[in-house]
Amino acid sequence: MASHIARRKFLATLLGGAAAWPLAARAQQREQMRRIGALMNLTADDPEASARVTALAQGLQQLGWTVGRNLQIDYRWGAADADRSRRYAAELVALVPDVILAGGGSVVGPLLQVARNVPIVFVNAVDPVGAGLVDSLRSLAATSPDSLCSNTASARNGWSC
């Protein structure tokens, strides 16, 4: 009789665990991998580039986004070369990222030419209106309410975001 009860416990445990497998698999699948394309205007071996990559990863980590777990970042390094930036812009768009980070004003133009359906976030663009990247800061704020101008040149020119 004891072996009969032990067998029942074993079967119940086994079947209970088997029934839970699909639930565990679904829980793991819920955390979708997001993809960021990053076109930087530096070279990959530039110390400033390394600092920016580290800062981005740390900031995203603090928000719950971990590279390799729920986030993939594809970097391309334009190195202030217009042809290279255009080629890499097209390459990044072909990867179908959720968003593209433009690391410098000089790489935004090539991205705008090829990225029709991918949001572009840009940093280190001194005069986005004057460069023709956006019509106005007001329109930028309307399309991206969480946008933030922290550029000191923006403050000197009286821009407010």
Side-chain angles (χ1 to χ4, degrees):
M1 177 111 166
S3 66
H4 185 65
I5 293 173
R7 184 172 146 226
R8 280 187 182 177
K9 283 184 180 180
F10 172 75
L11 288 174
T13 303
L14 182 64
L15 292 174
W21 287 339
L23 297 174
R26 256 187 257 132
Q28 290 175 357
Q29 290 173 356
R30 282 191 190 135
E31 190 163 42
Q32 181 182 8
M33 181 73 74
R34 295 296 186 169
R35 184 176 224 164
I36 297 174
L39 181 55
M40 311 301 278
N41 65 346
L42 302 169
T43 60
D45 60 352
D46 186 312
E48 180 66 24
S50 177
R52 290 181 185 184
V53 167
T54 301
L56 178 62
Q58 287 174 347
L60 290 168
Q61 174 91 35
Q62 291 173 355
L63 296 171
W65 297 99
T66 303
V67 174
R69 185 186 57 137
N70 59 0
L71 180 66
Q72 176 179 340
I73 304 177
D74 299 300
Y75 287 97
R76 298 298 183 272
W77 304 95
D81 180 305
D83 290 333
R84 183 180 295 171
S85 293
R86 280 191 290 279
R87 185 173 70 244
Y88 285 154
E91 192 175 298
L92 283 172
V93 170
L95 295 174
V96 193
D98 295 291
V99 65
I100 295 178
L101 169 65
S106 65
V107 298
V108 178
L111 284 167
L112 289 173
Q113 292 172 356
V114 295
R116 303 280 185 250
N117 298 318
V118 181
I120 300 170
V121 175
F122 57 87
V123 296
N124 299 327
V126 176
D127 184 2
V129 176
L133 304 177
V134 295
D135 294 332
S136 71
L137 292 179
R138 184 169 304 203
S139 67
L140 177 63
T143 58
S144 179
D146 295 329
S147 65
L148 171 66
C149 281
S150 60
N151 189 320
T152 54
S154 300
R156 277 198 307 271
N157 291 323
W159 297 346
S160 62
C161 298

